[in-house]
Amino acid sequence: MAGRTEREGDMADVEVNGRRYRVPERPAVVICFDGCDPAYIRRGLADGILPTIAGLRETGFAGEALAVLPSFTNPNNASIVTGVPPAVHGISGNYHLDRASGEERMITDAAMLRCGTILAAMAAAGVRTAAVTAKDKLRLMLARGLDGINFSAEKADRATLADNGIADVEAMVGRRRPDQYSADLSLFVLDAGLELLKRGAATLLYLSLSDFVQHAYAPGAHVADAFNRAVDDRIGRLIVLGATVGVVADHGMNDKSRAGGKPNVVYLEEELARRFGDGAVRVICPITDPFVRHHGALGSFVRVYLRKASDLAALMAASAELPGVELVLDGPAAATRFELPLDLEGDFVVLGDAGTVIGATAAEHDLSALAGHRLRSHGGLGEQRVPFIVSRKLDADYLTAKAGRLRNFDIFDAVLNGTA
Ligand SMILES: [Zn+2]
């Protein structure tokens, strides 16, 4: 529920999902630096390629926070814009099995978001608000109920005033819509944000990038360095324009390949079929999205649904014994531990360790799409830690209240409420 209330002085608050957010007095920008593992920041700082973030260690706040599990893009973006865990907002993956219909499908339907967003509530309170994403599917979800500017780099050429609150995005940014498999898809989002700020078109901005680069390139790789330097440069320019900038990631990223370069995969549905018979279970990989070239739909968190097999304890025990499996939880335990919606949970969940991904069957994962690079992916506990950076100092009281338990979905709170 959103509502506007007055507090002392002229300050106004907007209440969203039980948390109160100060209406921004100066421009506020939150960036979801998709797939930015803290290792990129550490390496970039050591190599001197992140001058803006390096400076923010002194003049702002540069720490780390925990992302939502499963450490995938959609659950975390939904948490960041709602300020609450998936148990409240209802988005616990990119892809799921609908128990009622038995259908497997993408979670792209904004209707699956079970609560309002900070963006929509701020816009309703009269704050000019913009949501810009790399991928259009994510925009549809994040822009739910938002009476403001919303568009994606992917479909920048198709933005219209009626549908997106803005037209001629390519002209505004000064270049054509980038390829969906490019670093520029993310830089276009940041450049669009810079233009919106310069034009005074928005006071509150959410800029959500793509993890295309991080899936293919490790910290220190030339392409990763060039990309991170370009993002750092744009963070600096947003600050120069007077914005308070907050940066978090939706998840980290780890190398999930063997020494020889082959992906380190546990094909769980096959393993359980071998032991319990064909058709024993169905394994759903909630990382699945249309951008398969990133990761071949392989991540470190899967949901398992019993089919012909019925001995849950035996299936869980057999899964836990597989090399590379870090954690196995039944559905209710997973929902409790990770604050996930119980009604969307599997019979059990299996998490791969930092070096391992879990798949269904070999036939379902197109590894040729990886185009020669080592598999880098996410989804498990090994990718839960993310950067948490704010361009202004956080109040001592605010940090004390958080006491080292920052979540990535505290970023709007930190930017709007936590700075002096
Ligand atoms: Zn992501």
Side-chain angles (χ1 to χ4, degrees), residues 34-35 72-73 211 250-251 378:
D34 197 322
F72 293 133
T73 299
D211 55 12
D250 49 352
H251 53 77
H378 53 95

Side-chain angles (χ1 to χ4, degrees), residues 189-328:
V189 171
L190 295 170
D191 288 341
L194 280 162
E195 288 303 321
L196 292 171
L197 263 193
K198 276 186 206 161
R199 289 157 199 238
T203 305
L204 182 66
L205 294 92
Y206 182 56
L207 308 176
S208 187
L209 312 186
S210 147
D211 55 12
F212 170 72
V213 169
Q214 294 86 350
H215 269 294
Y217 301 99
H222 173 72
V223 174
D225 282 356
F227 176 65
N228 291 333
R229 190 193 290 267
V231 173
D232 180 272
D233 167 65
R234 284 156 175 85
I235 294 170
R237 284 195 266 152
L238 289 163
I239 296 168
V240 167
L241 288 174
T244 303
V245 180
V247 182
V248 284
D250 49 352
H251 53 77
M253 189 73 72
N254 277 307
D255 189 312
K256 310 268 187 184
S257 301
R258 301 202 180 100
K262 277 209 181 342
N264 191 20
V265 193
V266 172
Y267 289 112
L268 185 62
E269 196 170 305
E270 286 181 11
E271 296 283 354
L272 294 177
R274 199 170 298 142
R275 174 112 179 236
F276 296 89
D278 276 350
V281 300
R282 177 65 182 142
V283 169
I284 294 292
C285 303
I287 191 175
T288 306
D289 76 12
F291 288 66
V292 290
R293 270 167 58 183
H294 290 59
H295 45 60
L298 288 165
S300 297
F301 184 108
V302 298
R303 295 193 164 94
V304 186
Y305 295 81
L306 272 51
R307 286 275 170 85
K308 291 181 183 164
S310 57
D311 190 342
L312 178 67
L315 288 159
M316 288 176 63
S319 303
E321 281 169 14
L322 297 168
V325 167
E326 179 168 16
L327 183 65
V328 179

Side-chain angles (χ1 to χ4, degrees), residues 23-48:
V23 167
E25 290 172 275
R26 64 172 73 83
V29 180
V30 168
I31 296 170
C32 179
F33 196 165
D34 197 322
C36 184
D37 194 274
Y40 289 102
I41 302 295
R42 285 195 294 270
R43 178 72 188 255
L45 290 171
D47 291 348

